[in-house]
Each structure stands twice: as C-alpha cells, then as structure tokens.
Amino acid sequence: MKKIIIGLLYLFSLTTNAQEMNKIQERINALFVAADQHDWEEVEQCFSKTVILDYTSMTGQPAAKLSPKQIVESWRSILPGFQYTHHQTGNFIIEEEGGRAEVYCYGTAFHYLENDNDHMWTVVGSYDFDLEKETDTWTISKMKFNFKFQNGNPNLPQMAIQRLTTNETPISAGQRNKNLVRQFFKSLENKDLETLIGLFAKDGKHINPYHSGLFPKGANGIDEIRSYWTPVFPGFDQMQFPIEELYAMEDPTRVYVKYKGVIKLKDDAGYYENEYYSTFKFNAKGKIVEYVEIFNPITAAKGFGLLDKIK
C-alpha cells in the first residue's frame, strides 16, 4: 500500500509540474499573439508589475526596467504601423521551481508592409524569460532577446513609424505626436539629418534654456536648425537616447519626454552622459514648432572640459 501511495504522489507531482509548464508556455504564447492582434490590455496582463526588457544584442541600447504600460506605449508606437506582424516561438526549455521559472525558446518575427521595395522584414533569434507566479497566474518579469540575424527590408520599421505619424492608420493626435518624438530620437541615433530636419516646421524653434553661455542657445527657423545639427553628427561616434517617460499632455499638441543621453566620443575618448527633459509642440500637420531641451549644464561642462567657463 505504501508503494502505491508513493507512486500516486509521484504521478501527481509529474502531472502538476506538466500543468505548470503548460501554463508558463501559454503565457509566453499569449504575449506574442496579443501583440500581433494589438490587444494591449492582454499584453499588459502578461507582464509583472516591473519588467526587465533587454534588446541589447539587437539595438545596442542597455536593458531597462519598465512598467507594462511603458512597454505597451513603445510597442504600440510601431507594431500597428505594419500591415501584419507574426511572432512565432518554439523549442521551449522550461525550468520551474518554487513559483519562479526560467524559459529559453526560439523566436522569429515576421513584419509585412506593402511598399515599392521589399515588403518583408524578418528577425530571428531566441528569448530568455523569467516568470513569477502570483496567486495562480504566471507573469513575465524579464524578457531578453538574443539576436541572431535579420533579412528583408531593414527600413521597414522606420516606414511603419512614418505610416503611423502620417495618419495612414487611425490613431489620436497625442499618440501620433508621441510617435513623432520617438522618430526624432531615432533620427539622432541613426545620424539621419534629413529625416530630423523634416520633422520641423519651417518656422520651428529649438530652445536650450540652460545653455549657460557654453552651448548654442538654440535655433529659429528650418535653416538655423539645419546649421545647428549639421556639425553635431560628425563629432561623435555613437549616440543613444533611451526614453524613460513619454506623455502627451492634456493639450495633445504638446508632448513631454524624460530621457538619457549616452554619447560615445571620438577617438575612444570615453562617453558623455547626461539626463534630459524636453517638451515638444506640434502644429496640426504634425510638424515640430517648438522643441525645448533641458539638461544639466554642469554635467555637460564637465563632460567637455569647460567647467571653468560656465556662466
């Protein structure tokens, strides 16, 4: 009888473990299905209260600790711009113990957008997930993508963002303007001067209220803005501007953003880093009429060896 009981308990543990494994895999699959279907409420529910999101291997940007709402804001700024996306996962390896799980799986993402050139952009890699069990529900607390390769049209993501910002898809003015802010920083990171200049209205303004006599006060009008940014890109090896907060205000023509600047200096001279707050004001056509850049002038002066000249 004792052996029978032990055997039954063993079978029960195996069954329970298999059920948990299924729930974990179903949660990850549900995340990608919801993202493809733009079911943002379901996407949020798949995540824990805070999530470590890591796409460093693909983007070069460091991992970030985000809320589910912040992740949704980022994903909805690009995925609806494609006509179709299809995320496929497989080859799951799951380790679960004590209400925590680690998952490894393959991942392939197909993105389709009809245009004059190649319609497809495909990204292939694998994922590392951490999950935690809250009551009877598994949620994702870490999501790391391990990039292997991509093929197809690498310009398709930018085209998808542009499709959203030009009202080819039904979004609010506030969401459109937030997408334009993301495009602004992506243009800086890509050193894409023409796209950057094209975001401004002809009478647009760039204002640096904390220039402190060391840095340009800003620029008025499209020609001055071009002259302001033209010498910037050749002066640095790389620029990254990870966004921490991004909000459309009650007046949707105004957008607030908090972000960091991580800039690699030329000739392996190190990095210049600062924290920024900016406001953008857009006109009805979605062009920037005012960009205000607020940064710590003391940090900037130290970074460029100008501290003794600050005013």
Side-chain angles (χ1 to χ4, degrees):
M1 177 63 95
K2 185 177 180 181
K3 290 183 178 180
I4 294 174
I5 293 173
I6 293 173
L8 289 173
L9 289 173
Y10 177 70
L11 289 173
F12 176 77
S13 66
L14 287 179
T15 302
T16 302
N17 185 257
Q19 290 174 343
E20 294 302 323
M21 297 288 191
N22 287 335
K23 289 179 181 179
I24 292 166
Q25 185 171 335
E26 286 172 1
R27 174 58 78 184
I28 293 172
N29 288 336
L31 171 68
F32 289 115
V33 171
D36 287 335
Q37 295 178 347
H38 308 157
D39 185 348
W40 306 121
E41 183 176 347
E42 174 66 17
V43 170
E44 282 194 40
Q45 292 177 358
C46 290
F47 287 116
S48 304
K49 292 180 181 179
T50 58
V51 185
I52 297 174
L53 194 66
D54 188 350
Y55 278 79
T56 306
S57 63
M58 182 172 176
T59 66
Q61 295 190 4
K65 184 177 288 188
L66 303 171
S67 69
K69 286 188 179 295
Q70 288 175 310
I71 294 174
V72 165
E73 280 294 314
S74 176
W75 290 5
R76 74 188 301 171
S77 72
I78 181 171
L79 293 183
F82 298 105
Q83 286 169 304
Y84 303 102
T85 61
H86 180 86
H87 290 80
Q88 191 73 44
T89 55
N91 293 352
F92 281 82
I93 301 174
I94 303 173
E95 295 183 5
E96 181 269 327
E97 184 177 358
R100 296 191 175 277
E102 294 181 357
V103 179
Y104 172 87
C105 67
Y106 282 7
T108 302
F110 302 93
H111 309 76
Y112 178 85
L113 178 58
E114 191 168 336
N115 59 85
D116 293 334
N117 299 306
D118 192 344
H119 303 336
M120 289 289 300
W121 175 54
T122 305
V123 181
V124 178
S126 64
Y127 289 95
D128 291 308
F129 289 97
D130 286 354
L131 292 90
E132 54 191 15
K133 193 175 183 181
E134 300 175 0
T135 313
D136 194 39
T137 303
W138 287 95
T139 57
I140 297 165
S141 58
K142 181 180 178 180
M143 178 178 178
K144 180 183 179 184
F145 181 65
N146 308 300
F147 175 74
K148 290 182 179 177
F149 66 90
Q150 61 180 330
N151 59 27
N153 187 350
N155 297 318
L156 223 61
Q158 194 67 29
M159 295 169 66
I161 294 173
Q162 195 166 16
R163 185 168 177 256
L164 287 173
T165 59
T166 54
N167 288 330
E168 292 182 37
T169 56
I171 58 173
S172 67
Q175 185 63 48
R176 179 201 66 182
N177 293 338
K178 288 195 294 182
N179 290 339
L180 287 165
V181 169
R182 291 189 180 93
Q183 189 175 11
F184 175 90
F185 290 111
K186 185 60 67 175
S187 298
L188 292 180
E189 292 176 345
N190 293 339
K191 299 184 179 181
D192 186 349
L193 179 65
E194 294 308 316
T195 297
L196 180 71
I197 301 304
L199 294 172
F200 282 89
K202 289 183 178 180
D203 59 350
K205 295 181 180 180
H206 177 163
I207 302 171
N208 293 330
Y210 293 100
H211 58 84
S212 303
L214 299 178
F215 309 102
K217 295 181 179 179
N220 292 318
I222 200 75
D223 292 334
E224 287 189 16
I225 291 171
R226 179 180 290 276
S227 297
Y228 180 101
W229 284 104
T230 296
V232 171
F233 296 146
F236 305 109
D237 278 341
Q238 187 182 50
M239 297 190 292
Q240 294 181 355
F241 298 96
I243 294 173
E244 296 182 354
E245 298 179 12
L246 180 62
Y247 304 110
M249 300 184 185
E250 185 174 357
D251 175 359
T253 65
R254 294 184 178 273
V255 175
Y256 161 85
V257 58
K258 177 184 177 185
Y259 57 102
K260 290 183 178 180
V262 183
I263 298 171
K264 185 179 181 182
L265 304 178
K266 285 283 189 180
D267 303 319
D268 293 323
Y271 286 84
Y272 160 62
E273 299 184 22
N274 211 332
E275 295 187 351
Y276 296 82
Y277 301 85
S278 287
T279 57
F280 290 78
K281 184 178 180 181
F282 294 88
N283 62 21
K285 294 182 179 180
K287 296 292 185 179
I288 301 170
V289 294
E290 182 184 273
Y291 163 58
V292 180
E293 182 180 307
I294 298 172
F295 56 89
N296 187 328
I298 296 176
T299 301
K302 284 182 178 178
F304 293 103
L306 302 171
L307 191 58
D308 59 327
K309 297 182 180 180
I310 197 167
K311 295 180 181 179

